[in-house]
Amino acid sequence: MFSELPLLSLLIWLPIIGGIWVLTQGKDDESSVRPIALSVALLTFILSLGLYIGFDLETANMQFEEKHSWISNFNIYYHLGVDGISMPLIILTSFITIFVVLAGWEVIKDRPAQYMAAFLIMEGLMIGVFAALDAMLFYVMWEAMLVPMFIIIGIWGGPNRVYAAIKFFLYTFLGSVLMLIAFLYLYHKSGSFSILDYHQLPIALDAQTFIFIAFLLAFAVKVPMWPVHTWLPDAHVEAPTGGSVVLAAIMLKLGTYGFLRFSLPITPDASEALAGFMIALSLIAIVYIGFVALVQQDMKKLIAYSSISHMGFVTLGFFIIFQIYQNTGSLSGAAMGMEGAMVQMISHGFISGALFLCVGVLYDRLHSREISSYGGVANTMPMFAMFAVLFAMSNAGLPGTSGFVGEFLVILSSFQANFWIAFAAAITLIVGAAYTLWMIKRVVFGAIPADKVETVGKLKDINGRETFILASLAFMVLLFGIWPAPLLDVMHASVDNLLNHVINSPKLP
Amino acid sequence: MTAALNHLHLFVPEIFVASMICIILLVDAYVPKAINALTHQLSQATVIGAALLTLLNQPTETTLLLHNTFVSDSLSVTLKMAMYVLMFGVFVYSRSYLQQRGLLKGEYYVLALCALLGMMVLASAAHFLSLYMGLELMALSIYALVALNRDSAQSSEAAMKYFILGALASGLLLYGISMIYGATGTLELKAVSDVIAEGKAESKLLLLGITFIMVGLAFKLGVVPFHMWVPDIYQGSPTAITLLIASVPKIAGFAMLMRLLVDGMSGLHSTWGDMLIILAVLSMALGNIVAIAQTNIKRMLAYSTISHMGFLSLGMLVGTNEGYAAALFYTLVYALMSLGGFGMIILLSRSGFEAENIEDFKGLNKRSPWYAFMMLILMLSMAGVPPMLGFWAKLAVISQIVNAHMYVLAVMAVLFSVIGMYYYLRIIKYMYFDAPAENSPEIEANTDMRWTLSLNALAVLGLGLFPHTLLQLCQNSL
């Protein structure tokens, strides 16, 4: 049933057209804006479940493919398709967007139509990035997505929003333009923009290295990896809650997705040659940024740094595969590292999104993100405290939550590569626990300090809408923590295929 | 005698425009002022009529006529059609602006159409003399247009500057042409090309000649280091005239590049190609960096023009038909965006108020979300953000650079584009992130202006989603 529908096109264009519809509604009657936006988001999510139901677990080939000629002068196709790597990310995107719409339900009073429309259009574009199999289509979506985010941060952001918005835009754009040149190089070499053709293209190592670096700049900025991470704390702090959620939960995954779709399969030899460098960058992100997070005074900044640190696990899992294969000679250890990294991508989407929503709940009430403005919140908001503690625990990697699965798999596989890499990565479990739980201790627990009786003492606990948001995310976090099999099953075939391709690719001199 | 008149139907659009100029001059002088809308409608009719005549009289192959001074080929048809479309837009946007300032006189239409005629001749030039004639007809008309508001000291100064520097550039160009003539013994571009290909010409003289010609060309295009006039003229002219200067003559500039460098001197590609590299890189660097510091929007867009002209030169310097097609595409796209951009400035201006500063765009999203969105499209397109049309133009050019293995140049081009992005984003910032100023009034405009402007901006978006047809057109033109 699902194979006949152009499901991916629907997933891309439904939110975009829905977003434009929302825009036109905003003029005279703003009350209809929110329900329309919510129904579009819900409908998109329900449709995206069709991907899961109709997905064939046995094959690593692209599924739900659509291919139409778009710009024949450049041999550019409107070519969509998903495999086990991109499919979970698309569902994550449509899932998170629902909560973004809900999170802005009451808070956004200034131009709600434009707010909702920007998020819906961005959702469509992000799904497009995950589904695109044509490099140019990918690039168009990849860059176009920045515009709604730029506007979201700039209009509804905090006091320093203009700086953050422009920094975000220029930083990420600067990263990606070299990728464009790499695409053009590959186009003139292969005569097409098809990503799948690129995978089969034999390229000499020195050219691969240049291409890898061009890709690395684009993706490292997005992930973000140390040392090109500085835009993220600014963007997170200034963005409205919804913007932070989308940034952390989805946009960062675009960078790591890029490594899987482009860097590793197109330039396998350069990836192998530079794997040590990538591992070093990942470890710096994991350990150093973990310590940076420890000293933050601003809750959003703390979670932002924690995101960078957690994304380090993802890139570590991707690039440790070469060393594991060298040491063990089998792909199963490498597959474990890579699958762990991918589970971490999805799980971090839920956890970081949830943490930003928690901060949003507090911010909506007291308009402060400073840790020192709070204390003893559990006394007035017991329900909220329960969720906040749960998400903090999973952020720290508590077994039984999804945060544990990914990190554990990555660390476990790292042991097969090198004890010290694994050791360094494992340190972060302690640091991560320290900064998250210390923040929770200062914000949630204890008695309400005397000077905050007027503020914290009068907080109202979360309402039904907020409870629904947090409970849904908590459910997902626990579900994948206890039973990650559905997620892993989807990935197996694609990961095996990717590893086979990357490690056994024929080498050119 | 008959040989000279062969294929004369290909020259009909020029004859038509010239005749209409005379008629409009008479109408304006003798028909009572009460119906002065008549000149406007006649001018529009001239443009539409010329477009129809051009379409009806298309050459089946490259045809030389009028003693080999005039060429009609698919390139000239494409260029002229682009000029008509842009000129039509210019007339629509300018009307109420000029009317509110008492500048809407018959001379405006006559001069603008003279400039159009000059550009049409330029697009079809097959001879150094016809090329020079077309160029001067265009330039002299525009000098006068810049001074249209003769009571404004700023405009007069700009016109004076433009005239003196323009005359200097024309002189240099002529000097170069005379040397080429000395080296090759002919003024026909085709014959010049043949003599150069045979290697019979004195190479030192040719080199000197082409250097002078390049200087003249660089001045007319406004690329660094011959760009000094651009910001002053853009700022000093009435906005409606800036709109004209910033749109249609860019097509003519491209035509001049094509006719002189490609038709006439393709044999010297290695020489002028290297010169273009320097001009292109300097223009992109200076244009994009200096634009950041501007507070006057017309001046900012002037520097943006400089950088865009540098980008255009990149397409030319590859020296292949695909490269020229990319440059043509870039030119058409840029002219369309520029038309829309200055159209927006005119929209925000009212009687007694010039929207000169970037601050005048403050809070446009609150005042008029629709036009803020239109400007958003135009600015993103100029910055080269996909999926706008400007992105594909940049892509087409960079693709050719990469194809020619000039990777460093390609990297520089994209890096300067990112630098340039900042000042386009700044306008978006003013429109979307800032609150409108206290006394900013409602936006009012004629229906035709509103529709044309919206159509203009939506075309930039729509053609950006489906750039295939326009790209194909450019490739077929070469």
Side-chain angles (χ1 to χ4, degrees), chain A residues 46 50 67 79 166 175 179 226 276 288 336 357 410:
Chain A
I46 292 166
K67 191 171 185 177
H79 188 183
I166 291 184
M179 177 169 74
W226 183 87
Y288 165 70
M336 183 163 76
L357 285 165
V410 172

Side-chain angles (χ1 to χ4, degrees), chain A residues 103-182:
Chain A
W105 199 264
E106 287 154 14
V107 203
I108 302 297
K109 297 202 169 63
D110 180 27
R111 285 172 280 180
Q114 290 186 357
Y115 180 85
M116 297 298 176
F119 275 108
L120 289 176
I121 291 172
M122 193 158 59
E123 177 189 12
L125 293 170
M126 286 187 299
I127 291 177
V129 172
F130 288 128
L133 290 181
D134 185 282
M136 230 46 242
L137 183 66
F138 172 85
Y139 188 82
V140 167
M141 303 273 193
W142 172 273
E143 299 289 39
M145 179 184 73
L146 299 179
V147 179
M149 196 54 168
F150 173 72
I151 288 179
I152 288 166
I153 298 178
I155 297 188
W156 296 279
N160 204 8
R161 60 187 195 278
V162 173
Y163 169 76
I166 291 184
K167 184 172 180 181
F168 159 77
F169 195 96
L170 288 182
Y171 218 123
T172 41
F173 213 101
L174 182 67
S176 10
V177 285
L178 290 182
M179 177 169 74
L180 179 67
I181 295 183

Side-chain angles (χ1 to χ4, degrees), chain A residues 70 72-73 111 114 161 188, chain B residues 365 399 433 465 468 472:
Chain A
W70 181 22
S72 55
N73 322 64
R111 285 172 280 180
Q114 290 186 357
R161 60 187 195 278
H188 285 295
Chain B
N365 183 36
S399 165
F433 306 168
L465 291 175
H468 174 77
Q472 197 61 48

Side-chain angles (χ1 to χ4, degrees), chain A residues 13 27 70-74 76 110-111 114 136 139-141 143-144 147 150-155 161-162 165-166 169-170 173-174 177-178 180-181 184-185 187-188 193, chain B residues 365-366 369 376 380 384-387 391-392 395-396 398-400 402-403 407 410-411 414-415 418 421-422 425-426 428-429 432-434 464-468 471-472 475:
Chain A
W13 293 104
K27 268 186 190 144
W70 181 22
I71 305 169
S72 55
N73 322 64
F74 281 115
I76 298 174
D110 180 27
R111 285 172 280 180
Q114 290 186 357
M136 230 46 242
Y139 188 82
V140 167
M141 303 273 193
E143 299 289 39
V147 179
F150 173 72
I151 288 179
I152 288 166
I153 298 178
I155 297 188
R161 60 187 195 278
V162 173
I166 291 184
F169 195 96
L170 288 182
F173 213 101
L174 182 67
V177 285
L178 290 182
L180 179 67
I181 295 183
L184 286 170
Y185 174 84
Y187 165 64
H188 285 295
F193 275 116
Chain B
N365 183 36
K366 280 238 172 75
L376 175 78
L380 290 177
V385 178
F391 166 71
W392 298 108
L395 179 81
I398 296 174
S399 165
Q400 292 308 317
V402 171
N403 199 18
Y407 302 115
V411 171
V414 292
L415 290 184
V418 177
M421 206 160 273
Y422 173 74
L425 287 183
R426 203 162 54 138
I428 300 175
K429 175 230 154 195
Y432 278 86
F433 306 168
D434 290 355
L465 291 175
F466 302 100
H468 174 77
L471 272 166
Q472 197 61 48
Q475 279 172 2

Side-chain angles (χ1 to χ4, degrees), chain A residues 282-456:
Chain A
S282 309
L283 285 179
I284 293 175
I286 296 174
V287 179
Y288 165 70
I289 299 292
F291 281 108
V292 172
L294 203 51
V295 298
Q296 298 306 318
Q297 300 301 315
D298 182 309
M299 287 188 281
K300 270 187 154 181
K301 229 173 194 161
L302 190 145
I303 303 167
Y305 279 111
S306 132
S307 288
I308 303 171
S309 171
H310 282 95
M311 293 307 280
F313 272 102
V314 181
T315 44
L316 177 67
F318 290 166
F319 286 92
I320 198 116
I321 55 170
F322 300 101
Q323 222 170 344
I324 297 175
Y325 181 73
Q326 237 173 22
N327 290 358
T328 62
S330 88
L331 288 176
S332 62
M336 183 163 76
M338 189 166 267
E339 281 176 10
M342 286 166 59
V343 171
Q344 172 77 347
M345 276 163 78
I346 303 287
S347 135
H348 180 256
F350 294 126
I351 298 171
S352 65
L355 282 172
F356 277 117
L357 285 165
C358 286
V359 176
V361 165
L362 290 179
Y363 183 79
D364 293 344
R365 286 165 171 72
L366 287 189
H367 297 283
S368 166
R369 298 178 306 254
E370 295 293 319
I371 295 176
S372 56
S373 309
Y374 298 90
V377 170
N379 296 311
T380 42
M381 301 174 74
M383 279 290 279
F384 168 79
M386 181 190 82
F387 285 118
V389 171
L390 170 71
F391 293 127
M393 288 296 179
S394 54
N395 197 41
L398 184 79
T401 62
S402 64
F404 172 73
V405 181
E407 289 179 18
F408 184 67
L409 285 175
V410 172
I411 294 174
L412 205 59
S413 65
S414 309
F415 270 109
Q416 299 179 15
N418 183 317
F419 171 76
W420 291 108
I421 293 178
F423 179 75
I427 287 180
T428 191
L429 288 181
I430 301 164
V431 181
Y435 60 71
T436 331
L437 299 183
W438 191 30
M439 175 180 80
I440 288 296
K441 184 231 147 205
R442 285 179 287 170
V443 173
V444 174
F445 293 128
I448 300 175
D451 58 330
K452 300 193 182 75
V453 176
E454 279 303 300
T455 52
V456 177

